[in-house]
Amino acid sequence: MLICRAATAADLAVLWPLRTRAVRTSCAAHYPAAVIETWSASAAPASLAVLVNLGSAVVAEKDGALAGFAVLDLASGEVDAVFVDPAHQRRGIALDLLRWLEELAQGRGVRRLFLSASLNAVAFYERAGFVRVRDEVYAHRSGIGIASVFMERMLSPACDGAAPLK
């Protein structure tokens, strides 16, 4: 059974290795090997722990193991991350995580979500209601440029100030 819950500081040690596995596996057909190597070798940004501690991240657990996670910057509306472990991909987990973030955003009055989608994820975000705004080169903090697509999604106002589903 899949369980989505708020991420905690105890999850931090597992999140970045999961992200790295996802990048190495899911992005390999869309980017040169040198880009994948540099991208996946980067350390977790300090902002990850900050956003987790602010309650802006969710994890999905499958049979007690972490299957994926998603992170939202509530101050800006930026979807910072949506990653699913390669062993659990194509089962709807990323969509569940994204919906949880959307409900969190709506509950906090955020009306627009945006992100820089890796090329392998563009179709997923389109299916989830995001609209392609422009092609871009994302300036990764490791010093490389990553071809991506800037996308956004407008949200409806929350009903009754509903909290995210747990």
Side-chain angles (χ1 to χ4, degrees):
M1 180 158 102
L2 185 71
I3 298 170
C4 287
R5 62 167 175 79
T8 68
D11 296 316
L12 286 169
V14 180
L15 299 182
W16 208 247
L18 184 153
R19 167 263 187 199
T20 300
R21 288 191 304 277
V23 166
R24 288 184 181 275
T25 301
S26 302
C27 300
H30 294 83
Y31 297 95
V35 170
I36 296 292
E37 186 56 35
T38 303
W39 185 6
S40 60
S42 65
S47 61
L48 178 61
V50 170
L51 293 172
V52 165
N53 290 329
L54 288 173
S56 299
V58 61
V59 297
E61 291 180 342
K62 177 85 173 151
D63 301 325
L66 200 67
F69 73 98
V71 181
L72 173 66
D73 183 337
L74 284 166
S76 68
E78 181 177 11
V79 176
D80 190 60
V82 178
F83 290 104
V84 175
D85 190 282
H88 297 285
Q89 290 178 352
R90 305 224 178 267
R91 298 181 189 166
I93 294 171
L95 187 58
D96 288 344
L97 291 167
L98 190 56
R99 295 297 179 233
W100 197 93
L101 290 185
E102 288 174 359
E103 290 182 24
L104 177 64
Q106 286 175 310
R108 301 279 181 90
V110 175
R111 298 291 172 251
R112 174 184 166 264
L113 296 181
F114 67 94
L115 53 89
S116 187
S118 56
L119 300 179
N120 57 292
V122 172
F124 161 74
Y125 286 114
E126 287 175 332
R127 286 191 305 275
F130 281 77
V131 176
R132 187 185 287 250
V133 176
R134 67 181 174 274
D135 292 345
E136 64 181 9
V137 175
Y138 178 79
H140 192 267
R141 68 185 187 291
S142 65
I144 62 171
I146 301 173
S148 60
V149 177
F150 185 85
M151 304 180 83
E152 66 182 1
R153 177 160 194 235
M154 302 309 290
L155 300 176
S156 302
C159 297
D160 302 322
L165 298 176
K166 295 185 181 182

